Amino acid sequence: MAAIEESFPRGGARKIHKLEKSYQQSIEHDNLFDISSEEQSIKRKKNQKGPAKTKKLKTEKRESGKSVKEKFEILSVESLCEGMRILGCVKEVNELELVVSLPNGLQGFVQVTEICDAYTRKLNEQVVQEEPLKDLLRLPELFSPGMLVRCVVSSVSITERGKRSVKLSLNPRNVNRVLSAEALKPGMLLTGTVSSLEDHGYVMDIGVAGTRAFLPLQKAQKYMRQKNKGAKLKVGQYLHCVIEEVKGNGGVASLSVEQSEISAAIATREQNWSLNNLLPGLVVKAEVQKVTQFGLTLNFLTFFTGLVDFMHLDPKKVGTYFSNQAVRACILCVHPRTRAVRLSLRPIFLQPGRPLTRLSCQHVGAVMKDVPVQGFFNKAGATFRLKDGALAYARLSHLSDSKNAFRPEAFKPGNTHKCRIIDYSQMDELALLSLRTSVIEAQYLKYHDIKTGAVVKGSVLSIRPFGMLVKVGEQMRGLVPATHLADVLLKNPEKKYHIGDKVKCRVLLCDPEAKRLIMTLKKTLVISKLPIIACYEDAKPGLQTHGVIHRARDYGCIVRFYNDVQGLVPKHELSAQYVPDPEKVFYTGQVVKVAVVNCEPAKERMLLSFKLLSDPEPKSESVGHGRKKEKDVGVGQLVDVKVLEKTKDGLQVTVLPHNIPAFLPTPHLSDHVANGPLLHHWLQAGDVLHRVLCLSQSERQLLLCRKPALVSSVEGGQDPKSFSEIQPGMLLIGFVKSIKDYGVFIQFPSGLSGLAPKAIMSDKFVTNPSDHFVEGQTVVAQVTNVDEEKQRMLLSLRLSDCRLGGPESTSLLLLSQCLEELQGVRSLMSGRDSVLVQTLAEMTPGMVLDLVVQEVSEDGCVVFCGGPVPDLVLRASRYHRAGQEVESGQKKKAVILNVDMLGLEVHVSLRKELVNRKAQKLKKGSTHQATVQHLEPCFAVASLMETGHLVAFSLASHLNDTFRFDSEKLQVGQGVCLVLKTTEPGVTGLLLAVEGPAARRVLRQPRKSSETADEDEEGDPALAVGPRKKHALAIGDVVTGTVKSVKPTRVVVTLGDGVIGCVHASHILDDVPEGATPTATLRVGKTVTARVIGGRDVKTFAFLPVSHPRFIRTVPELSVRPSELQKDGYTVLNTHSASPVEKIQQYQTGQTVTCFLKKYNVVKKWLEVDVTPDIRGRIPLLLTSLSFKVLKHPDKKFQIGQALRATVVGPDSSKAFLCLSLIGPHKLEKGEVAMGRVVKVTPGKGLTVAFPFGRTGTVSIFHVSDSYSERPLEDFIPQKVVRCYVLSTAGHVLTLSLRSSRTNPETKSKVEDPEISSMRDVKEGQLLRGYVRSVEPSGVLLGLGPSVEGLALFSHVSRCGLPRRDLYSKYLPEGRLLTARVLRLNPSENLVELSFLPGDTGQPDVLSVSPELLLQKQKEEVGAKERDKMGEKKRSQKRTEKNQEGLEEGELPSKEQVGAKRSGKRERPDSGEAQESVNKRQKKAGPPEDDSGVEVYYREGEEETEVLLKGTLTKPADAPRLRLSSGFLWDVGLDTLTPALPPRRESSDSEEDEEPHHATQKRKSKKERELEKQKAEKELSRIEEDLRDPGRQPASADDFDRLVLSSPNSSILWLQYMAFHLQATEIEKARAVAERALKTISFREEQEKLNVWVALLNLENMYGSPESLSKVFERAVQYNEPLKVFLHLADIYAKSEKFQEAGELYNRMLKRFRQEKAVWIKYGAFLLRRGQAGASHRVLQRALECLPAKEHLDTITKFAQLEFRLGDAERARAIFENVLSTYPKRTDIWSVYIDMTIKHGSQKEVRDIFERVIHLSLAPKKMKFFFKRYLDYEKQHGTEKDVRAVKAKALEYVEAKSSALED
């Protein structure tokens, strides 16, 4: 019918605007002289008979073109309108609302206040009493799903997301409004609610004005027995009633609720039903008028015509209807304007009063493919035919992802689509579908899908005192309790969260049956990677997890986890130190990390501890035995030594030729950590070592070192002998002496040592220093700081600081040294007597051997024999077996990869590409792709892909390069890029190469089916117990066994005859909840029934087909899923794929899979997971979370065996494993937030960030933070993880932002410095901050954004002009942060003109704050005085005068400086004061030459000052008085406070200091004394003139005393006097000034005195005690108007965030001043600012009870304004609407409402209000006022069309008034 309305809009000339429709509708209801619709329609028909004939020919083509389908268009939300009466079915009952299913797949909502008037009154009574009423039933007790209800549409609104929400009302007053008392007839079927209980029955509310309906008790007895379980009816109960008797012309109606009477009730013509009062739910007798494929046209009640769409035909009679057929039908809805009636022929509706039986569909959530379209409806949606033949329906909004993507031609009948069943329409008995991709791929559609511990995303619905409601799905919402809104308790949660905000929560508890979902927003819990405890069985001893303190008591803390599981932390487990009072240390809601000590699941008891396990302290250095220090050998000397004996820690040697005993530790045998133990093993007594370095001498022993790097540094003279030789920046070679938690101590050959702190130990993030370095390791260190006095120095071990040469040359050098040492070991081995050892020494990599297979081990490795020596062990790993089928005794050719000289093993490979090498000439320096074949600690052996040659390359590019993250470590089979450095293998048998860029590495090549098992699965317990027995099992067999052992991802089951089987975690449950551990459901010893679904080969770990001959020796793979145990319901594993590549092809990018955590790979930083027994996956670290805490400690978030929901990344995944993501698809598109790593920091420019899969992006310094700082890049180092927002994807390099307003918009953090991307973002007069780009000839260039610059002319830079322009570059260096005011914009030149002047910015002068500039001016001033006529002998005299100037001239505030500059006086700030403050800082920090070493005091912006002042200021002055950094806040407006000046005694002190100097001078001449006298007189005259200057600011206590004597009643002066003392932190003097002011100010000046009292209250609040504040307050109340004092103190409390004291004070005020409106309003505003909206609402109710009636309206309006500004705008509108419905002609309230809506609402809302106002019946003068406001608004915000429309309406109003006057 919506289509009919649009095609034929009423009026014919134009389509009526939505606002005009609503206006016409309201006029219809308000018009007392409106004729009935029937008469109106008859008149219209009569009047249109003539014109219809003339228009027939014109419209004939149009009408014939109108399709039947359009006529039978089914209902859509757009076709609903206010006042429409419609039949619905209760779908869902909540505490505060009903969800009602409407015809044609629609649904609406009924608020709890729309049931009936009596029920609403009961609710209000319950709210006032704040206690539940006994006789008031909850909505779930009044209504049940399936009940048919008659509704009326109260509103169709558009939500914030743009969706339409249908609000319904069940209130009989609204539903039956169309009935009158005279129209009531016996037999009518109505609906009503119980209004009250009387002695003989119930008073019913049927909503008919003037009628009292009564239900006799005897008529209700049967109903109460059958439907109400014998209980009496309660207020608000909804009933279907039949009118039995009408008395008094409709005044009294007697009702019946007998089911038999209701079912038989039929609406007849005798009951005088009309289209005006026809109600939904009535059953009528009808006759089929017309039959079409889209529905029927019926004729009923003789005169009326209605439509039946195809959804509401009787399913059993479809296709059998014919014209003139008599049927019974039920009225579904009646349109109030078009009078269109829709009916239903479904049998379930033809028995009124009976509830619907089928309420749900079992397939909800199912995704179906290739569902054919049955029919398409332009305005509503489309119907589909499911596979079972049932009809389904999809609304128009669910047919595509967006309006732009919708294509109607895709929904022609017969077209097929992929869809998902999302709901069930009870009214239509059909499933509702969605074709949206987001819905089809959605993880949660119902509460049953959400599992405890899952991280879910949602949007904020509302914020209540008890918590926050969050929407997590289409029809799902959860509660975040108030204590779980953040890690700390929020006082004002509405400041952090707003309705509609997107939030990420974690599920604490989910009860699907009760639809109860409790979640947490505590960031620590949400991002925690630790395993969760959802049941007591999960709590294993030693498990560490996060919990929340539920209670803190004197005996300990109770910690609560998920699903209300809780445990006790006893008092002795709270901390390593004794905690006497836990209640003071811990608080409820605190997130803590705990360790499980013990758990008893049966008793539900758990013992916890806060004392977590920490890393053990590194061992202290061992002290060897030795002799007294020998004088023959000096430290740093190179000697030859002979091995005496081997000890556990090293070698006891003698220094040749004097045989001096010494000790050579094992780590000091080599620069390579792994070669030290090897050399220690093969060196024997008698071996001689050359060129050994003496490290240190002591009385006990002589310590030696053989590290080549240290030896070469000593020989080259690069080893400083004392601290005086060491300078910052030097590179030194040393070794790690000891490792501490805070850093590493490095010792150098000369014996000096230094500390490398944790922060500069590595370019990578250092969690534990022992992970990066080991004791004795050789390192290169850069000196960063030296403290010669304390003999300390700070060192940096970062690779970026310690590069000795290029990475390639260093890498090749390390490799050559390592292989040279190994060759030395071979020479040692060749001299041994053992034939085996000699043979091993002769074997080199690359040799091809003929071997015989001895055995195949259980882990897949092959052991060979048949080598040159019988005892020789040769082994090929599973990878190097290359999938070949090998058996004992078989002969094979193998190539040697490496010889293990410690384990005496040879690693060989059977790979054909290595055995059969190609003879090809190689070029030095050529680049080749290679595959890693073997890994050693220091180097790797790879094979060139083209030829098969074996190449060695170093794993480290530097001595310090020893730490690798998981993702950086190489693995066997991985592809690398190598650059050859040698072309012929030397004695080592290997070519030498260096690795190319790490970005060119590729993951391991896919293995064949025999290699499907992961490398780290060698220790799989299920396979370790693999059977050697044969079994006769086949795939599909059902077996019974006993659980032998339970592992996180596998369960081992013992079957009959000792056969061992395995059950994978993915084959235990049908529906695996996220976060659950399926294997935990099985216990050891439990008997299980399972089905065989595959068999895994013991040797190759591949799943073999049942036809394979070795299947009888496999480990049976079992499944205990209930669905698998059903007949013909099982599936088998894929055993036909040749490789894992084919198996993972079934997974597509973006697909969601359930996987099970196998282990967290700490080294490679990924989660290793199992998807199925034969498909594995990996989740890279950066794709696990968007939280820094999770990325820092991912192992704390996840539990082994835990089920995870992951998304397949797709093309970026490796071939052997699925690459998965826990944060959805990895899309670096505009607007996305992703995690990345900093790879480069460019000073002054920004950052370069790298993402997974090779993408990079740049971050400008303007996008590093929402608040600029002097050093914006200080906290960023390479490899740091950052959270980025993608601004642009143009080009290969992304444009990124790190601003928290972008990356975390839900936090609503304050943006101090807005983004400036173009000149459009800049406005004249705006105050901005930026970084100095450069100093140009015309001015200073300031960067405001990445591409926006501003220019400040030199006249706008500073009031203190510099003599030379080149000095600006010195005082305003590039990168300095400045504040500027925009003066004007120049778009043509793309330039912004700025000003740095204090008068414009409110900041200090950019040059006056520079101490260097003060010194420069001081020098100029001294130079000027020297050029004076006075000679050298008068310097002391001038110095005295200068000090006197210091008394008079102080540093003025910015405003006063401007005035001083105009008058030509005191232009310069006092140089002496600046000198004094600098001396103060220098005195505190110590002299610059001593400020060195480890204890350096770093101060921003002061280092340069101290250096420049060094040597210039000969004598430090006295310390100046302390100044307040933030100023002092008063309630009275003080714009500026005069800073404190140096006291007078300082100048006298300086004079005293110079007295000896005066004494040494000779006596002055008469002329000199005369000149001195004249100078003194001039100075006195100048001082007197200054004192007479009215613009002069007071600078001392005497100045203030003179001013307050002249103006004793000025509170401003007294407050400035107080501030003067406070700046010097003289609190008592400030108090004394306040007391003087209170005694001095005249008693008539009440306001002036009050200002001082308020200042004194402020002072006591900030610096006094509560007692002193209370005393001052009591005195202030006695001497002033009490209410004003109370209000001022409440404001003081609120501003200083003493909310508890403020609340207590307001409660006192409400008792004392309960008749004062201002108190209630202030208290309401206070509560709203704190986010206590509920309390504010209660305050309004109390205010209306206490205040006089005449104040009510104003109070309500004020509270509504407060709600607009501080609270819920929707509630504010509701208050205004309620007031205006009562007082529609109060223009002042209308005006306030308009003002508030303009400030806080949308343009549509403002225009809606204006439209209502201009149609009010008000005086012309007032109407003119509103029309003028409307016109002004449209001129400012609207278009020309809107302005013309307003003028037209005003003209229409004037014409209507004129015509009315003429009539």
Side-chain angles (χ1 to χ4, degrees), residues 621-635:
E621 292 184 337
S622 59
V623 181
H625 298 284
R627 301 179 359 170
K628 292 183 179 180
K629 175 173 67 173
E630 298 287 345
K631 297 182 181 178
D632 298 24
V633 182
V635 175

Side-chain angles (χ1 to χ4, degrees), residues 590-617:
Q590 181 179 352
V591 181
V592 290
K593 186 179 178 183
V594 297
V596 178
V597 178
N598 189 21
C599 182
E600 300 177 32
K603 297 181 181 179
E604 294 190 348
R605 293 197 304 187
M606 194 190 315
L607 198 63
L608 308 169
S609 173
F610 286 162
K611 296 190 287 188
L612 307 177
L613 297 176
S614 58
D615 296 328
E617 287 290 328

Side-chain angles (χ1 to χ4, degrees), residues 39 73 209 293 299 440 449 463 545 628 681 784 948 984 1002 1006 1076 1120 1220 1223 1299 1348 1355 1730 1797 1808:
E39 295 173 358
E73 190 76 54
Q293 59 175 328
N299 189 9
I440 293 175
D449 299 335
I463 301 174
T545 186
K628 292 183 179 180
H681 178 78
T784 61
E984 293 295 332
V1002 295
V1120 295
L1220 304 173
I1223 56 174
R1299 287 174 173 262
V1348 180
S1355 59
R1730 295 201 59 208
T1797 310
D1808 287 346

Side-chain angles (χ1 to χ4, degrees), residues 1415-1428 1438 1442:
L1415 285 176
Q1416 180 75 18
K1417 293 196 170 190
Q1418 186 178 4
K1419 292 175 182 177
E1420 292 175 5
E1421 188 178 345
V1422 171
K1425 290 184 177 182
E1426 285 177 349
R1427 288 192 298 272
D1428 202 358
K1438 292 190 176 186
K1442 185 176 174 184

Side-chain angles (χ1 to χ4, degrees), residues 1816-1860:
L1816 293 174
S1817 178
L1818 301 175
K1821 187 176 181 180
K1822 294 179 179 179
M1823 293 300 292
K1824 179 183 177 183
F1825 167 75
F1826 284 119
F1827 270 113
K1828 188 176 184 303
R1829 287 207 61 183
Y1830 194 4
L1831 186 63
D1832 292 341
Y1833 177 81
E1834 291 297 358
K1835 286 180 179 178
Q1836 187 175 357
H1837 298 94
T1839 62
E1840 287 295 329
K1841 183 179 177 182
D1842 298 327
V1843 173
R1844 289 196 298 271
V1846 175
K1847 291 180 178 178
K1849 290 171 185 175
L1851 185 61
E1852 184 182 341
Y1853 170 78
V1854 173
E1855 292 174 351
K1857 277 291 179 184
S1858 302
S1859 61

Side-chain angles (χ1 to χ4, degrees), residues 1394-1430:
L1394 306 173
S1395 171
F1396 302 153
L1397 296 177
D1400 293 326
T1401 64
Q1403 301 293 325
D1405 196 295
V1406 295
L1407 297 181
S1408 66
V1409 297
S1410 173
E1412 303 96 318
L1413 185 60
L1414 296 177
L1415 285 176
Q1416 180 75 18
K1417 293 196 170 190
Q1418 186 178 4
K1419 292 175 182 177
E1420 292 175 5
E1421 188 178 345
V1422 171
K1425 290 184 177 182
E1426 285 177 349
R1427 288 192 298 272
D1428 202 358
K1429 294 180 181 180
M1430 300 168 65

Side-chain angles (χ1 to χ4, degrees), residues 801-875:
D801 297 333
C802 304
R803 288 284 183 195
L804 290 170
E808 286 193 8
S809 59
T810 310
S811 178
L812 184 61
L813 178 62
L814 292 175
L815 177 64
S816 303
Q817 288 179 353
C818 182
L819 294 179
E820 186 178 343
E821 287 179 352
L822 292 180
Q823 196 59 32
V825 173
R826 282 196 174 90
S827 64
L828 290 173
M829 294 171 64
S830 61
R832 301 294 180 258
D833 297 331
S834 170
V835 179
L836 173 62
V837 174
Q838 292 178 0
T839 305
L840 283 173
E842 294 171 0
M843 286 186 168
T844 55
M847 292 176 60
V848 179
L849 305 175
D850 291 317
L851 305 174
V852 178
V853 178
Q854 181 177 342
E855 67 170 340
V856 179
S857 60
E858 292 179 357
D859 58 2
C861 296
V862 183
V863 181
F864 298 91
C865 63
V869 182
D871 297 331
L872 184 62
V873 177
L874 301 101
R875 188 184 301 273

Side-chain angles (χ1 to χ4, degrees), residues 1363-1406:
R1364 299 196 311 274
R1365 293 291 165 89
D1366 58 335
L1367 291 176
Y1368 281 97
S1369 301
K1370 180 178 180 182
Y1371 302 128
L1372 298 177
E1374 183 180 353
R1376 179 174 172 182
L1377 182 64
L1378 296 177
T1379 304
R1381 174 82 67 180
V1382 179
L1383 297 180
R1384 61 187 59 84
L1385 302 176
N1386 191 347
S1388 59
E1389 298 182 8
N1390 197 25
L1391 201 63
V1392 182
E1393 190 171 336
L1394 306 173
S1395 171
F1396 302 153
L1397 296 177
D1400 293 326
T1401 64
Q1403 301 293 325
D1405 196 295
V1406 295

